[in-house]
Amino acid sequence: MLVYECDGFVIEKNCPDVVVFPRTAQQVAAIVQLGNEYDVPVLPRGAGTSLAGGCLPVGGGIMVVLTRMKRIVEINLRDRYAVVEPGVVNIWLTKALAGAGFHYAPDPSSQGACTIGGNLATNSGGPHTLKYGVTVNHVLGLEAVLADGSIVEIGGPAEDSPGLDLTGVMVGSEGTLAIATKIWVRITRDPQGYRTLLGIFESVDDATNAISAIIGAGIVPAALEMMDQGILVALEEAFQFGFPLDAQAILLIEVDGLEAGLDAQRDQIIELCQRSGAREVRQARDAAERQKLWKCRKQAFGAVGRLSPSYCTQDGVVPRTKLPHMLRRIYQIGEKHDIKVVNVFHAGDGNLHPILLFDERDAAQVKRVLKASEEILDECIACGGSVTGEHGIGVEKIEFMSKLFAPEDLEVMERLRLAFNPAGRLSPHKMLPTAGACGMEQHHPGRRAAV
Amino acid sequence: MSAVSDSLPITETATPETQADVAQALRDAYAARRAVYPLGGGTSLDYGLAPKQPGLGLSLGALQRVIDYPSRDLTITVEAGITIAELTAAMAAEGQQLPIDLPHAQVATLGGAIATNWSGARRYGYGTLRDYIIGISAVDGRGTPFKAGGRVVKNVAGYDFCKLLTGSLGTLSVITQVTLKAKPRPQRSAFAVAAVNNLAAASALLDALASSATTPVAIELIAGIAWSDISGELLPAGDLRIVVGLEGTAAEVDWMREQLAREWQPLGQSPEFITADLQVSALWTALNDFSSGPSELTVKINVLPSRAAELVGVVRELDATASIQAHAGNGIVLARFNELPPGGMLATMVKRLQPAARAAGGSAVILSANSGERTAQAVWGSPAADWPLMRAVKKQFDPHNILNPGRFVY
Ligand SMILES: Cc1cc2nc3c(=O)[nH]c(=O)nc-3n(C[C@H](O)[C@H](O)[C@H](O)COP(=O)(O)OP(=O)(O)OC[C@H]3O[C@@H](n4cnc5c(N)ncnc54)[C@H](O)[C@@H]3O)c2cc1C
Ligand SMILES: Cc1cc2nc3c(=O)[nH]c(=O)nc-3n(C[C@H](O)[C@H](O)[C@H](O)COP(=O)(O)OP(=O)(O)OC[C@H]3O[C@@H](n4cnc5c(N)ncnc54)[C@H](O)[C@@H]3O)c2cc1C
């Protein structure tokens, strides 16, 4: 049971009363009905890699773990969709498509573990969302178990079904509206070619200015990721890629598409990087080197483990042109609270992931980490941004909702939840500060762990 | 307001200048339980069922400002009443675009486009309007102003009302302000076109396009009298034509032309190319304006892409002279009938088109009709399984059913 007391957000913990592993939608429906009968919360869970505490069983209740619903039900190349059960791990679909000339575009860094159901619920992004969009741009429809225990299909493989776009609002609803039991996703043609570049910069400012220069010039790379010196050191230790350890920042830039256009784009990007002060721009020599670079990027969080016993990954967004300012502030805030911060993030989207390093056993440090996180996110809001680009609100960021949104905004969101989940038994106390449920006390779910 | 209000039971029209004005008007209407008809450019006010309840026309025309355009961030924030033409011009000045291909751009508004969720031919390459909206402000049926999303391209804080309001036909809220993602304009735009002898040949070509090494932005199958004006000048002679839109850099477009010629050869087809700027833009205009052309009945059928040609066949069986534009790559078939097919509206929609569409994984709806009885069944088809959920959502946003009452099936 302890496995299920939290997800990737370890600061708060609580045990569910029951954990179930259904294999069919009918079983999920029966569980939801039992939850209603006994008036206890019901909480869906995928792989539990959420970083915002979406799987924290607030108020206990029944946890519905969907990892046994893991069939790829159908792949239709001609009509470009696949049907999957929610427990299918993100990378499995791309693996199943390998060789057919297709892939599943949303590629969170956790794609080796997280499920497509979890991706749907959090509207996951990843390095390739810059060009290909986030999960919502790739979900065509779903089958879901509603709060009353009924099973319903929403949308489907054909585009433009008449009526309200309930699919769109289900994506990113963090398990608070319904439980997805089957998902129709778009599959994407593989690009003909890639050019993968590594821009090496003497200063973080130069690197962040290069990002705006590239996007501002009308180039939309498939991915544009930034890593600062702190993370490079960890990556180099883990992978010995040959990253220059004295560089302050590197940009991993990938363009993809028709071969006919790639060299010109590459040359333009190299020129823009150089004009922004890049010390050097390298190109991945072959597919193996490209793959190694991406492996480093995707496992960056894992490598952080070498730097510190615990870390907290933040998830803020600012307009791309505000990145230079925002990174300066992040380092300042870290210094002020004596917390080391390293950065690896989706720079092309302005989606920052400052990683705050600390020791969970030291209560004072934990407090400083929380304070620093808060200041960083407040600064994102001040820049016209958001406190989450892809991890969601969960329980972690509930308090920020009233900073981002007016009471009226939250009231209307609350009403949407009432339409789907009138008794509030599905995933109570998530996402909305007001998200009370009839008969359930309104309280913050107690910050346990080291705090 | 003449033309606009003709099709609606409007007794009075208001032209609010701010979101606060919109909110006040809706609060008053909520208290009085009075119907409200949001009005954009008035180009699709007869979409859906005909509303009968007398009420207030709420023109969004005065809400037309560009609020913020940080073009280097590739985002733009505008008021909902801005016309598509003004928006396009503002973005073109920065070398950017919103690639959604609307007819009547001079009068149609962004708010109206969002309410109807319209996207034209280039949806194959660029996605639909829904994919571009990252922030939205609106006022619900109680007069509560609210917003969702924001001004950054990635944001998952709160429910995604940008999606929910897109295509809601002005029945959940009045949209007042929108933030969009922008796309760079392509260097070059061209077409490959080919006449095909029959639907089987069309299908074979469409199959080939679905697995082509090229990356078209539009895959269209067109037929019928509506295209005769531009035939000869822009299109090869014939009744059934495939039109493929190609965009990118000059080198990319050149490569795609050669590649398509190679791919089509085994199918016995050789594409003609349209590359001169004037001709290219004339063809885009024709493709964008098709559905707003003269017609007794205009329908939209959505099916799996592999079944689009089949549905074109069903339409032609009903009326051999029907004019058709299928966004075949997306499985969307638009058909204009010069007169109501034999048997009338119900037989056409309920007995023929809707079952055929359902069998091909989709549905068929009426976009506009001059005559014939527009029942809920004919206009929207039989309710889908998620219909009760839609009603529950409607109830929360508009409890007194004052927003466009009767247009949708509530
Ligand atoms: C190392 C690491 C890297 C990461 N990188 C990224 C990244 O690049 N991009 C990104 O977006 N995220 C990233 N994440 C966060 C996380 O992986 C994503 O949020 C992911 O989508 C969660 O999937 P999951 O299956 O683990 O879901 P869980 O953690 O199990 O659940 C997440 C939320 O979804 C709900 N849920 C799960 N399944 C369903 C269902 N079937 N129906 C309804 N609700 C459901 C849960 O209730 C919960 O609220 C990363 C996490 C880690 C640990
Ligand atoms: C028969 C038909 C064919 C069409 N063909 C095409 C086509 O080929 N290509 C294409 O791109 N588009 C097409 N459209 C869609 C049409 O071009 C767009 O919907 C247009 O942009 C509408 O803009 P408008 O300002 O004229 O809206 P209006 O006609 O004024 O309003 C349309 C609907 O939206 C509501 N509405 C308007 N503004 C708002 C607002 N701010 N908030 C909430 N609700 C609002 C109205 O109440 C009404 O229900 C077609 C529509 C129809 C009916």
Side-chain angles (χ1 to χ4, degrees):
Chain A
M1 213 63 123
L2 281 184
V3 176
Y4 300 102
E5 65 175 4
C6 69
D7 49 26
F9 176 71
V10 295
I11 296 195
E12 292 171 38
K13 293 174 177 147
N14 193 34
C15 268
D17 296 309
V18 190
V19 182
V20 293
F21 300 88
R23 289 177 192 277
T24 66
Q26 287 70 25
Q27 289 174 350
V28 175
I31 295 162
V32 171
Q33 276 153 8
L34 277 177
N36 290 343
E37 222 169 281
Y38 291 92
D39 194 16
V40 292
V42 177
L43 170 65
R45 174 181 166 116
T49 67
S50 165
L51 296 168
C55 301
L56 179 74
V58 182
I62 312 173
M63 178 170 279
V64 186
V65 180
L66 295 146
T67 47
R68 290 198 187 157
M69 295 178 67
K70 57 182 182 190
R71 283 185 316 139
I72 295 176
V73 180
E74 183 191 352
I75 287 180
N76 184 329
L77 298 180
R78 173 62 180 85
D79 290 321
R80 296 195 177 189
Y81 71 86
V83 188
V84 300
E85 289 184 339
V88 167
V89 169
N90 176 296
I91 194 105
W92 294 353
L93 183 53
T94 285
K95 284 197 171 143
L97 290 163
F102 287 85
H103 66 286
Y104 179 55
D107 62 339
S109 302
S110 52
Q111 70 182 148
C114 65
T115 66
I116 293 182
N119 295 166
L120 172 130
T122 55
N123 194 12
S124 276
H128 286 88
T129 62
L130 176 54
K131 179 167 172 183
Y132 293 99
V134 288
T135 298
V136 74
N137 305 120
H138 301 271
V139 174
L140 292 159
L142 65 153
E143 174 197 85
V145 172
L146 304 180
D148 65 1
S150 61
I151 303 173
V152 66
E153 271 184 27
I154 299 170
E159 296 178 23
D160 283 14
S161 51
L164 299 177
D165 184 3
L166 298 182
T167 304
V169 81
M170 268 295 294
V171 178
S173 61
E174 302 192 28
T176 63
L177 299 184
I179 302 179
T181 48
K182 203 195 287 174
I183 307 165
W184 282 264
V185 295
R186 225 182 264 287
I187 54 179
T188 305
R189 284 299 300 279
D190 293 343
Q192 195 178 49
Y194 309 89
R195 298 290 181 276
T196 309
L197 301 169
L198 202 58
I200 298 165
F201 292 84
E202 301 285 352
S203 82
V204 170
D205 261 17
D206 287 349
T208 43
N209 282 323
I211 296 160
S212 288
I214 293 167
I215 308 268
I219 303 175
V220 182
L224 210 179
E225 302 281 300
M226 186 181 137
M227 300 178 237
D228 72 3
Q229 190 189 28
I231 201 89
L232 282 179
V233 171
L235 281 174
E236 197 50 31
E237 263 181 42
F239 298 106
Q240 294 87 40
F241 182 82
F243 292 116
L245 294 181
D246 60 330
Q248 289 302 309
I250 62 169
L251 294 181
L252 174 55
I253 310 163
E254 182 161 281
V255 286
D256 70 15
L258 297 175
E259 277 292 342
L262 289 178
D263 285 342
Q265 280 190 56
R266 174 201 57 201
D267 295 347
Q268 204 184 344
I269 290 172
I270 293 177
E271 200 200 312
L272 289 166
C273 284
Q274 280 164 348
R275 251 195 271 156
S276 309
R279 173 167 100 194
E280 186 191 342
V281 185
R282 294 184 197 166
Q283 184 180 338
R285 276 164 304 206
D286 50 30
E289 201 169 77
R290 167 175 180 262
Q291 241 144 41
K292 184 147 187 212
L293 265 174
W294 276 114
K295 190 172 159 205
C296 290
R297 165 61 187 93
K298 296 233 162 137
Q299 299 192 356
F301 292 104
V304 171
R306 294 167 177 265
L307 296 176
S308 149
S310 322
Y311 63 91
C312 159
T313 308
Q314 262 314 331
D315 173 32
V317 198
V318 295
R320 289 173 269 237
T321 45
K322 294 269 168 44
L323 280 174
H325 163 81
M326 193 60 216
L327 277 156
R328 278 195 297 271
R329 288 289 298 138
I330 288 175
Y331 293 121
Q332 278 167 11
I333 291 167
E335 264 165 44
K336 177 175 149 199
H337 296 283
D338 192 21
I339 294 292
K340 185 163 168 63
V341 186
V342 300
N343 287 283
V344 45
F345 63 99
H346 313 306
D349 292 317
N351 185 189
L352 294 143
H353 287 319
I355 303 174
L356 294 82
L357 308 177
F358 66 106
D359 186 340
E360 196 179 18
R361 293 158 301 191
D362 178 349
Q365 274 193 51
V366 175
K367 276 208 183 97
R368 299 207 303 276
V369 162
L370 289 173
K371 191 77 195 102
S373 287
E374 188 182 338
E375 285 180 22
I376 289 171
L377 294 174
D378 284 345
E379 187 70 24
C380 288
I381 296 176
C383 288
S386 172
V387 298
T388 172
E390 51 184 26
H391 296 166
I393 296 296
V395 294
E396 182 199 13
K397 290 185 177 163
I398 276 193
E399 278 129 15
F400 286 93
M401 286 298 274
S402 44
K403 296 185 185 180
L404 272 178
F405 294 108
E408 291 81 13
D409 308 338
L410 298 173
E411 183 193 319
V412 177
M413 288 188 197
E414 178 75 38
R415 284 203 224 115
L416 176 83
R417 178 176 327 206
L418 281 175
F420 278 83
N421 181 12
R425 262 180 226 108
L426 275 177
S427 289
H429 305 291
K430 303 282 166 62
M431 202 171 170
L432 297 177
T434 50
C438 308
M440 279 190 204
E441 276 278 303
Q442 188 60 53
H443 63 96
H444 194 273
R447 288 221 132 113
R448 271 186 42 194
V451 189
Chain B
M1 289 246 134
S2 52
V4 162
S5 36
D6 281 356
S7 55
L8 289 172
I10 288 177
T11 52
E12 184 193 343
T13 304
T15 308
E17 309 217 325
T18 61
Q19 190 194 38
D21 294 347
V22 174
Q24 188 58 52
L26 283 164
R27 271 196 300 274
D28 294 346
Y30 176 69
R33 297 189 176 229
R34 181 182 190 198
V36 175
Y37 299 100
L39 306 171
T43 63
S44 10
L45 291 178
D46 57 353
Y47 184 28
L49 286 161
K52 296 206 171 62
Q53 206 177 312
L56 173 74
L58 198 63
S59 167
L60 277 300
L63 288 167
Q64 47 161 297
R65 291 176 305 154
V66 174
I67 302 291
D68 188 20
Y69 186 10
S71 60
R72 277 164 64 85
D73 286 329
L74 286 177
T75 63
I76 184 169
T77 301
V78 296
E79 289 183 321
I82 193 170
T83 63
I84 298 297
E86 283 171 84
L87 178 64
T88 304
M91 294 175 84
E94 298 289 336
Q96 296 176 358
Q97 61 166 342
L98 174 69
I100 53 161
D101 306 332
L102 288 183
H104 301 299
Q106 299 295 340
V107 283
T109 62
L110 180 64
I114 294 172
T116 51
N117 188 22
W118 199 275
S119 301
R122 286 188 299 168
R123 58 188 290 161
Y124 188 71
Y126 292 98
T128 61
L129 184 50
R130 166 191 196 265
D131 296 315
Y132 290 87
I133 304 166
I134 55 177
I136 204 157
S137 301
V139 182
D140 76 3
R142 308 181 201 223
T144 309
F146 66 95
K147 63 178 187 306
R151 294 197 186 174
V152 283
V153 295
K154 248 170 117 189
N155 184 5
V156 292
Y159 294 120
D160 194 345
F161 289 157
C162 303
K163 304 291 177 299
L164 185 66
L165 297 187
T166 303
S168 66
L169 218 52
T171 63
L172 295 184
S173 306
V174 177
I175 301 163
T176 54
Q177 188 175 304
V178 185
T179 300
L180 301 159
K181 281 202 235 189
K183 280 263 183 199
R185 284 170 87 88
Q187 230 176 56
R188 180 170 293 186
S189 183
F191 286 100
V193 295
V196 284
N197 291 331
N198 51 46
L199 283 171
S203 250
L205 217 49
L206 292 172
D207 286 347
L209 280 163
S211 61
S212 170
T214 63
T215 53
V217 293
I219 298 179
E220 305 280 295
L221 172 58
I222 60 175
I225 187 87
W227 303 98
S228 58
D229 287 355
I230 59 170
S231 294
E233 211 182 315
L234 290 174
L235 297 171
D239 181 37
L240 267 180
R241 267 76 54 96
I242 295 225
V243 177
V244 182
L246 305 172
E247 287 188 347
T249 62
E252 286 170 331
V253 172
D254 287 346
W255 180 84
M256 285 195 274
R257 288 172 49 186
E258 286 162 27
Q259 176 66 19
L260 271 186
R262 273 194 296 274
E263 290 177 4
W264 288 10
Q265 202 180 18
L267 297 166
Q269 295 287 347
S270 58
E272 286 177 31
F273 294 100
I274 299 173
T275 52
D277 286 349
L278 272 180
Q279 289 186 312
V280 169
S281 77
L283 188 46
W284 278 127
T285 304
L287 290 172
N288 294 348
D289 286 349
F290 169 82
S291 61
S292 58
S295 153
E296 197 54 29
L297 168 68
T298 304
V299 300
K300 173 179 170 183
I301 302 166
N302 69 309
V303 294
L304 291 175
S306 60
R307 310 288 290 273
E310 176 191 325
L311 266 292
V312 169
V314 172
V315 169
R316 284 156 70 92
E317 259 169 43
L318 270 175
D319 177 357
T321 70
S323 294
I324 297 169
Q325 174 180 20
H327 308 313
N330 298 84
I332 310 289
V333 180
L334 303 170
R336 278 166 40 192
F337 296 94
N338 297 324
E339 50 193 80
L340 214 48
M345 185 76 89
L346 275 177
T348 302
M349 296 305 298
V350 179
K351 293 223 161 63
R352 298 296 305 277
L353 293 178
Q354 287 166 357
R358 249 193 319 276
S363 52
V365 300
I366 294 175
L367 283 185
S368 69
N370 281 338
S371 55
E373 201 201 344
R374 279 204 247 178
T375 61
Q377 179 80 356
V379 174
W380 297 115
S382 31
D386 53 357
W387 168 236
L389 208 48
M390 290 186 195
R391 278 183 76 109
V393 171
K394 166 75 174 174
K395 248 194 140 121
Q396 290 295 337
F397 277 80
D398 182 19
H400 290 169
N401 193 17
I402 60 167
L403 285 168
N404 266 321
R407 191 183 292 287
F408 246 155
V409 217
Y410 34 57

